[in-house]
CSV table of all heavy atoms in Angstrom, one decimal:
chain,number,residue,atom,x,y,z
A,1,ASN,N,-61.2,43.8,-53.0
A,1,ASN,CA,-62.6,43.5,-52.6
A,1,ASN,C,-63.1,42.3,-53.4
A,1,ASN,O,-63.8,41.5,-52.8
A,1,ASN,CB,-63.5,44.7,-53.0
A,1,ASN,CG,-63.3,45.9,-52.1
A,1,ASN,OD1,-62.9,45.7,-50.9
A,1,ASN,ND2,-63.6,47.1,-52.5
A,2,ARG,N,-62.6,42.1,-54.6
A,2,ARG,CA,-63.0,40.9,-55.4
A,2,ARG,C,-62.5,39.6,-54.7
A,2,ARG,O,-63.2,38.6,-54.5
A,2,ARG,CB,-62.6,41.0,-56.8
A,2,ARG,CG,-62.9,39.8,-57.7
A,2,ARG,CD,-62.7,40.1,-59.1
A,2,ARG,NE,-62.7,38.9,-60.0
A,2,ARG,CZ,-63.8,38.3,-60.3
A,2,ARG,NH1,-65.0,38.7,-60.0
A,2,ARG,NH2,-63.7,37.2,-61.1
A,3,ILE,N,-61.2,39.6,-54.4
A,3,ILE,CA,-60.6,38.5,-53.7
A,3,ILE,C,-61.3,38.2,-52.4
A,3,ILE,O,-61.6,37.0,-52.1
A,3,ILE,CB,-59.1,38.7,-53.5
A,3,ILE,CG1,-58.3,38.8,-54.8
A,3,ILE,CG2,-58.5,37.7,-52.5
A,3,ILE,CD1,-56.9,39.2,-54.7
A,4,PHE,N,-61.6,39.2,-51.6
A,4,PHE,CA,-62.3,39.0,-50.3
A,4,PHE,C,-63.6,38.4,-50.6
A,4,PHE,O,-64.0,37.4,-49.9
A,4,PHE,CB,-62.5,40.3,-49.6
A,4,PHE,CG,-63.2,40.2,-48.3
A,4,PHE,CD1,-62.5,39.8,-47.2
A,4,PHE,CD2,-64.5,40.4,-48.2
A,4,PHE,CE1,-63.2,39.6,-45.9
A,4,PHE,CE2,-65.2,40.2,-47.0
A,4,PHE,CZ,-64.5,39.9,-45.9
A,5,SER,N,-64.4,38.9,-51.5
A,5,SER,CA,-65.7,38.4,-51.8
A,5,SER,C,-65.7,36.9,-52.3
A,5,SER,O,-66.6,36.2,-52.0
A,5,SER,CB,-66.4,39.2,-52.9
A,5,SER,OG,-66.6,40.5,-52.4
A,6,LEU,N,-64.7,36.6,-53.1
A,6,LEU,CA,-64.7,35.3,-53.7
A,6,LEU,C,-64.0,34.2,-52.8
A,6,LEU,O,-64.4,33.0,-52.9
A,6,LEU,CB,-64.0,35.3,-55.1
A,6,LEU,CG,-64.7,36.1,-56.2
A,6,LEU,CD1,-63.8,36.2,-57.4
A,6,LEU,CD2,-66.0,35.5,-56.5
A,7,LYS,N,-63.0,34.6,-52.1
A,7,LYS,CA,-62.2,33.6,-51.3
A,7,LYS,C,-62.4,33.7,-49.8
A,7,LYS,O,-62.4,32.7,-49.2
A,7,LYS,CB,-60.7,33.8,-51.7
A,7,LYS,CG,-60.5,33.7,-53.2
A,7,LYS,CD,-59.3,32.9,-53.5
A,7,LYS,CE,-59.1,32.8,-55.0
A,7,LYS,NZ,-58.9,31.5,-55.4
A,8,VAL,N,-62.4,34.9,-49.3
A,8,VAL,CA,-62.4,35.0,-47.8
A,8,VAL,C,-63.8,35.0,-47.2
A,8,VAL,O,-64.0,34.2,-46.3
A,8,VAL,CB,-61.6,36.3,-47.4
A,8,VAL,CG1,-61.7,36.5,-45.9
A,8,VAL,CG2,-60.2,36.4,-47.9
A,9,LEU,N,-64.7,35.7,-47.7
A,9,LEU,CA,-66.0,35.8,-47.2
A,9,LEU,C,-66.7,34.4,-47.1
A,9,LEU,O,-67.3,34.0,-46.1
A,9,LEU,CB,-66.9,36.8,-47.9
A,9,LEU,CG,-68.3,37.1,-47.4
A,9,LEU,CD1,-68.2,37.5,-45.9
A,9,LEU,CD2,-69.0,38.1,-48.2
A,10,PRO,N,-66.6,33.6,-48.2
A,10,PRO,CA,-67.2,32.3,-48.1
A,10,PRO,C,-66.6,31.4,-47.0
A,10,PRO,O,-67.4,30.7,-46.3
A,10,PRO,CB,-67.0,31.6,-49.5
A,10,PRO,CG,-66.8,32.8,-50.4
A,10,PRO,CD,-66.1,33.9,-49.6
A,11,LEU,N,-65.4,31.5,-46.8
A,11,LEU,CA,-64.7,30.8,-45.7
A,11,LEU,C,-65.2,31.3,-44.3
A,11,LEU,O,-65.5,30.5,-43.5
A,11,LEU,CB,-63.2,30.9,-45.8
A,11,LEU,CG,-62.4,30.2,-44.8
A,11,LEU,CD1,-62.5,28.7,-44.9
A,11,LEU,CD2,-60.9,30.6,-44.9
A,12,LEU,N,-65.3,32.6,-44.2
A,12,LEU,CA,-65.8,33.1,-42.9
A,12,LEU,C,-67.2,32.7,-42.6
A,12,LEU,O,-67.6,32.3,-41.5
A,12,LEU,CB,-65.7,34.6,-42.9
A,12,LEU,CG,-64.4,35.3,-42.9
A,12,LEU,CD1,-64.5,36.8,-43.1
A,12,LEU,CD2,-63.6,35.0,-41.6
A,13,LYS,N,-68.0,32.6,-43.7
A,13,LYS,CA,-69.4,32.2,-43.5
A,13,LYS,C,-69.5,30.8,-43.0
A,13,LYS,O,-70.3,30.4,-42.2
A,13,LYS,CB,-70.2,32.4,-44.8
A,13,LYS,CG,-70.5,33.8,-45.1
A,13,LYS,CD,-71.3,33.9,-46.5
A,13,LYS,CE,-71.6,35.4,-46.8
A,13,LYS,NZ,-72.3,35.5,-48.1
A,14,VAL,N,-68.7,29.9,-43.6
A,14,VAL,CA,-68.8,28.5,-43.3
A,14,VAL,C,-68.1,28.2,-41.9
A,14,VAL,O,-68.6,27.4,-41.1
A,14,VAL,CB,-68.1,27.7,-44.4
A,14,VAL,CG1,-67.9,26.2,-44.0
A,14,VAL,CG2,-68.9,27.7,-45.7
A,15,LYS,N,-67.0,28.8,-41.7
A,15,LYS,CA,-66.2,28.4,-40.5
A,15,LYS,C,-66.3,29.3,-39.3
A,15,LYS,O,-66.0,28.9,-38.2
A,15,LYS,CB,-64.7,28.4,-40.9
A,15,LYS,CG,-64.3,27.4,-42.0
A,15,LYS,CD,-64.4,26.0,-41.4
A,15,LYS,CE,-63.9,25.0,-42.4
A,15,LYS,NZ,-63.9,23.6,-41.9
A,16,CYS,N,-66.7,30.6,-39.5
A,16,CYS,CA,-66.5,31.5,-38.4
A,16,CYS,C,-67.8,32.3,-37.9
A,16,CYS,O,-68.0,32.5,-36.8
A,16,CYS,CB,-65.5,32.6,-38.8
A,16,CYS,SG,-63.9,31.9,-39.3
A,17,PHE,N,-68.7,32.6,-38.9
A,17,PHE,CA,-69.8,33.4,-38.6
A,17,PHE,C,-70.8,32.8,-37.6
A,17,PHE,O,-71.5,33.5,-36.9
A,17,PHE,CB,-70.5,33.9,-39.8
A,17,PHE,CG,-69.9,35.0,-40.5
A,17,PHE,CD1,-70.4,35.5,-41.7
A,17,PHE,CD2,-68.8,35.7,-40.0
A,17,PHE,CE1,-69.8,36.6,-42.4
A,17,PHE,CE2,-68.2,36.8,-40.7
A,17,PHE,CZ,-68.7,37.2,-41.9
A,18,GLY,N,-70.8,31.5,-37.5
A,18,GLY,CA,-71.7,30.8,-36.6
A,18,GLY,C,-71.5,31.2,-35.2
A,18,GLY,O,-72.5,31.4,-34.4
A,19,CYS,N,-70.3,31.5,-34.8
A,19,CYS,CA,-70.0,31.9,-33.4
A,19,CYS,C,-69.6,33.4,-33.3
A,19,CYS,O,-69.7,34.0,-32.2
A,19,CYS,CB,-68.9,31.1,-32.9
A,19,CYS,SG,-69.2,29.3,-32.7
A,20,HIS,N,-69.1,33.9,-34.4
A,20,HIS,CA,-68.5,35.3,-34.3
A,20,HIS,C,-69.1,36.2,-35.4
A,20,HIS,O,-68.4,37.1,-35.9
A,20,HIS,CB,-67.0,35.2,-34.5
A,20,HIS,CG,-66.3,34.3,-33.5
A,20,HIS,ND1,-66.2,34.7,-32.2
A,20,HIS,CD2,-65.8,33.1,-33.6
A,20,HIS,CE1,-65.6,33.7,-31.6
A,20,HIS,NE2,-65.4,32.7,-32.4
A,21,GLY,N,-70.4,36.1,-35.7
A,21,GLY,CA,-70.9,37.1,-36.6
A,21,GLY,C,-72.3,36.9,-37.1
A,21,GLY,O,-72.9,37.8,-37.5
A,22,GLN,N,-72.9,35.7,-37.0
A,22,GLN,CA,-74.2,35.5,-37.5
A,22,GLN,C,-75.3,36.3,-36.8
A,22,GLN,O,-76.1,36.9,-37.3
A,22,GLN,CB,-74.6,34.0,-37.5
A,22,GLN,CG,-75.8,33.7,-38.2
A,22,GLN,CD,-75.9,32.1,-38.4
A,22,GLN,OE1,-74.9,31.4,-38.3
A,22,GLN,NE2,-77.1,31.7,-38.6
A,23,ASP,N,-75.2,36.3,-35.4
A,23,ASP,CA,-76.1,37.1,-34.6
A,23,ASP,C,-75.3,38.1,-33.8
A,23,ASP,O,-74.6,37.7,-32.8
A,23,ASP,CB,-76.9,36.1,-33.7
A,23,ASP,CG,-77.9,36.8,-32.8
A,23,ASP,OD1,-77.9,38.0,-32.8
A,23,ASP,OD2,-78.6,36.1,-32.1
A,24,PRO,N,-75.4,39.4,-34.0
A,24,PRO,CA,-74.6,40.4,-33.3
A,24,PRO,C,-74.9,40.4,-31.8
A,24,PRO,O,-74.1,40.8,-31.0
A,24,PRO,CB,-75.1,41.7,-33.9
A,24,PRO,CG,-76.0,41.4,-35.0
A,24,PRO,CD,-76.3,40.0,-35.0
A,25,ASN,N,-76.0,39.8,-31.3
A,25,ASN,CA,-76.4,39.8,-29.9
A,25,ASN,C,-75.9,38.5,-29.2
A,25,ASN,O,-76.0,38.3,-28.0
A,25,ASN,CB,-77.9,39.9,-29.7
A,25,ASN,CG,-78.4,41.2,-30.2
A,25,ASN,OD1,-77.8,42.3,-29.9
A,25,ASN,ND2,-79.5,41.2,-30.9
A,26,ASP,N,-75.3,37.6,-30.0
A,26,ASP,CA,-74.8,36.3,-29.5
A,26,ASP,C,-73.4,36.0,-30.1
A,26,ASP,O,-73.3,35.0,-30.8
A,26,ASP,CB,-75.8,35.2,-29.8
A,26,ASP,CG,-75.4,33.9,-29.2
A,26,ASP,OD1,-74.7,33.9,-28.2
A,26,ASP,OD2,-75.8,32.8,-29.7
A,27,VAL,N,-72.4,36.8,-29.7
A,27,VAL,CA,-71.1,36.6,-30.2
A,27,VAL,C,-70.2,36.0,-29.2
A,27,VAL,O,-70.2,36.5,-28.0
A,27,VAL,CB,-70.5,38.0,-30.7
A,27,VAL,CG1,-69.1,37.9,-31.1
A,27,VAL,CG2,-71.3,38.6,-31.8
A,28,ARG,N,-69.5,34.9,-29.5
A,28,ARG,CA,-68.7,34.3,-28.5
A,28,ARG,C,-67.4,35.0,-28.3
A,28,ARG,O,-66.8,35.5,-29.2
A,28,ARG,CB,-68.4,32.8,-28.9
A,28,ARG,CG,-69.6,31.9,-28.9
A,28,ARG,CD,-69.1,30.5,-29.1
A,28,ARG,NE,-70.3,29.7,-29.2
A,28,ARG,CZ,-70.3,28.4,-29.5
A,28,ARG,NH1,-69.2,27.8,-29.8
A,28,ARG,NH2,-71.4,27.7,-29.6
A,29,ASP,N,-66.9,35.0,-27.0
A,29,ASP,CA,-65.6,35.6,-26.6
A,29,ASP,C,-65.4,37.0,-27.0
A,29,ASP,O,-64.3,37.5,-27.2
A,29,ASP,CB,-64.5,34.7,-27.3
A,29,ASP,CG,-64.5,33.3,-26.8
A,29,ASP,OD1,-64.9,33.0,-25.7
A,29,ASP,OD2,-64.2,32.4,-27.7
A,30,ASP,N,-66.5,37.8,-27.1
A,30,ASP,CA,-66.4,39.2,-27.5
A,30,ASP,C,-65.7,39.4,-28.8
A,30,ASP,O,-65.0,40.4,-28.9
A,30,ASP,CB,-65.8,40.0,-26.4
A,30,ASP,CG,-66.8,40.1,-25.1
A,30,ASP,OD1,-68.0,40.1,-25.3
A,30,ASP,OD2,-66.2,40.1,-24.0
A,31,TYR,N,-65.7,38.4,-29.7
A,31,TYR,CA,-64.9,38.6,-30.9
A,31,TYR,C,-65.9,38.5,-32.1
A,31,TYR,O,-66.5,37.5,-32.4
A,31,TYR,CB,-63.9,37.4,-31.1
A,31,TYR,CG,-63.0,37.6,-32.3
A,31,TYR,CD1,-62.4,38.8,-32.6
A,31,TYR,CD2,-62.9,36.5,-33.2
A,31,TYR,CE1,-61.6,38.9,-33.7
A,31,TYR,CE2,-62.1,36.7,-34.3
A,31,TYR,CZ,-61.4,37.8,-34.6
A,31,TYR,OH,-60.7,38.0,-35.7
A,32,THR,N,-66.1,39.7,-32.7
A,32,THR,CA,-67.1,39.8,-33.8
A,32,THR,C,-66.4,40.0,-35.1
A,32,THR,O,-65.4,40.7,-35.2
A,32,THR,CB,-68.1,41.0,-33.6
A,32,THR,OG1,-69.0,41.0,-34.7
A,32,THR,CG2,-67.4,42.3,-33.4
A,33,LEU,N,-66.9,39.3,-36.1
A,33,LEU,CA,-66.3,39.4,-37.5
A,33,LEU,C,-67.2,40.3,-38.4
A,33,LEU,O,-67.0,40.3,-39.6
A,33,LEU,CB,-66.1,38.0,-38.1
A,33,LEU,CG,-65.1,37.2,-37.4
A,33,LEU,CD1,-65.1,35.7,-37.9
A,33,LEU,CD2,-63.7,37.7,-37.4
A,34,LEU,N,-68.2,41.0,-37.7
A,34,LEU,CA,-69.1,41.8,-38.5
A,34,LEU,C,-68.6,43.1,-39.0
A,34,LEU,O,-69.0,43.7,-39.9
A,34,LEU,CB,-70.4,42.0,-37.7
A,34,LEU,CG,-71.2,40.7,-37.4
A,34,LEU,CD1,-72.4,41.1,-36.5
A,34,LEU,CD2,-71.7,40.1,-38.7
A,35,THR,N,-67.5,43.6,-38.3
A,35,THR,CA,-66.9,44.9,-38.6
A,35,THR,C,-65.4,44.7,-38.6
A,35,THR,O,-64.8,43.9,-38.0
A,35,THR,CB,-67.3,46.0,-37.6
A,35,THR,OG1,-66.7,45.6,-36.4
A,35,THR,CG2,-68.8,46.1,-37.5
A,36,ARG,N,-64.8,45.6,-39.4
A,36,ARG,CA,-63.3,45.6,-39.4
A,36,ARG,C,-62.7,45.9,-38.0
A,36,ARG,O,-61.8,45.4,-37.6
A,36,ARG,CB,-62.8,46.7,-40.4
A,36,ARG,CG,-61.3,46.8,-40.6
A,36,ARG,CD,-60.9,47.8,-41.7
A,36,ARG,NE,-59.5,47.7,-42.0
A,36,ARG,CZ,-58.6,48.3,-41.4
A,36,ARG,NH1,-58.8,49.1,-40.4
A,36,ARG,NH2,-57.3,48.2,-41.8
A,37,GLU,N,-63.4,46.9,-37.3
A,37,GLU,CA,-63.0,47.2,-36.0
A,37,GLU,C,-63.0,46.0,-35.1
A,37,GLU,O,-62.1,45.8,-34.2
A,37,GLU,CB,-63.8,48.4,-35.4
A,37,GLU,CG,-63.6,49.7,-36.1
A,37,GLU,CD,-64.4,49.8,-37.5
A,37,GLU,OE1,-65.3,49.0,-37.7
A,37,GLU,OE2,-63.9,50.6,-38.3
A,38,GLY,N,-64.1,45.2,-35.2
A,38,GLY,CA,-64.2,44.0,-34.3
A,38,GLY,C,-63.1,43.0,-34.6
A,38,GLY,O,-62.5,42.4,-33.7
A,39,MET,N,-62.8,42.9,-35.9
A,39,MET,CA,-61.7,42.0,-36.3
A,39,MET,C,-60.3,42.4,-35.8
A,39,MET,O,-59.5,41.6,-35.3
A,39,MET,CB,-61.6,41.8,-37.8
A,39,MET,CG,-62.8,41.1,-38.4
A,39,MET,SD,-62.5,41.0,-40.2
A,39,MET,CE,-64.2,40.7,-40.8
A,40,LEU,N,-60.1,43.7,-35.8
A,40,LEU,CA,-58.8,44.3,-35.3
A,40,LEU,C,-58.7,44.2,-33.8
A,40,LEU,O,-57.6,44.1,-33.3
A,40,LEU,CB,-58.6,45.7,-35.8
A,40,LEU,CG,-58.4,45.9,-37.3
A,40,LEU,CD1,-58.5,47.3,-37.7
A,40,LEU,CD2,-57.1,45.2,-37.8
A,41,LYS,N,-59.8,44.4,-33.1
A,41,LYS,CA,-59.8,44.4,-31.7
A,41,LYS,C,-59.5,43.0,-31.1
A,41,LYS,O,-58.8,42.9,-30.1
A,41,LYS,CB,-61.2,44.8,-31.2
A,41,LYS,CG,-61.3,44.8,-29.7
A,41,LYS,CD,-62.7,45.2,-29.2
A,41,LYS,CE,-62.9,44.9,-27.8
A,41,LYS,NZ,-64.2,44.6,-27.4
A,42,GLY,N,-60.0,42.0,-31.8
A,42,GLY,CA,-59.8,40.6,-31.2
A,42,GLY,C,-60.8,40.3,-30.2
A,42,GLY,O,-61.7,41.1,-29.9
A,43,GLY,N,-60.6,39.2,-29.5
A,43,GLY,CA,-61.6,38.8,-28.5
A,43,GLY,C,-60.9,38.6,-27.1
A,43,GLY,O,-60.0,39.4,-26.8
A,44,GLU,N,-61.4,37.7,-26.4
A,44,GLU,CA,-60.9,37.5,-25.0
A,44,GLU,C,-59.4,36.9,-25.0
A,44,GLU,O,-58.7,37.1,-24.0
A,44,GLU,CB,-61.8,36.5,-24.2
A,44,GLU,CG,-63.1,37.1,-24.0
A,44,GLU,CD,-64.1,36.2,-23.3
A,44,GLU,OE1,-63.7,35.0,-23.0
A,44,GLU,OE2,-65.2,36.6,-22.9
A,45,SER,N,-59.0,36.2,-26.0
A,45,SER,CA,-57.6,35.7,-26.0
A,45,SER,C,-56.7,36.9,-26.3
A,45,SER,O,-57.1,37.9,-26.8
A,45,SER,CB,-57.5,34.6,-27.1
A,45,SER,OG,-57.8,35.1,-28.4
């Protein structure tokens, strides 16, 4: 959890959440990073 909070989460916020997590009603390619289930499911690809 510490590694995720310090290293992974900041990267997701900068590079990914704009299209895949910032707004749950506006997620591109049906790929959400807001939940573990969404990450495991993947998107349209």
Side-chain angles (χ1 to χ4, degrees):
N1 286 337
R2 180 170 167 75
I3 291 170
F4 180 83
S5 295
L6 293 175
K7 303 220 179 236
V8 179
L9 187 57
L11 180 66
L12 291 173
K13 286 180 178 179
V14 170
K15 298 286 186 179
C16 308
F17 281 175
C19 297
H20 303 287
Q22 192 167 339
D23 181 355
N25 297 315
D26 185 26
V27 174
R28 289 190 186 173
D29 301 325
D30 292 327
Y31 185 52
T32 180
L33 298 173
L34 295 175
T35 65
R36 183 176 191 273
E37 292 77 22
M39 291 182 200
L40 292 172
K41 178 184 170 209
E44 291 178 357
S45 62

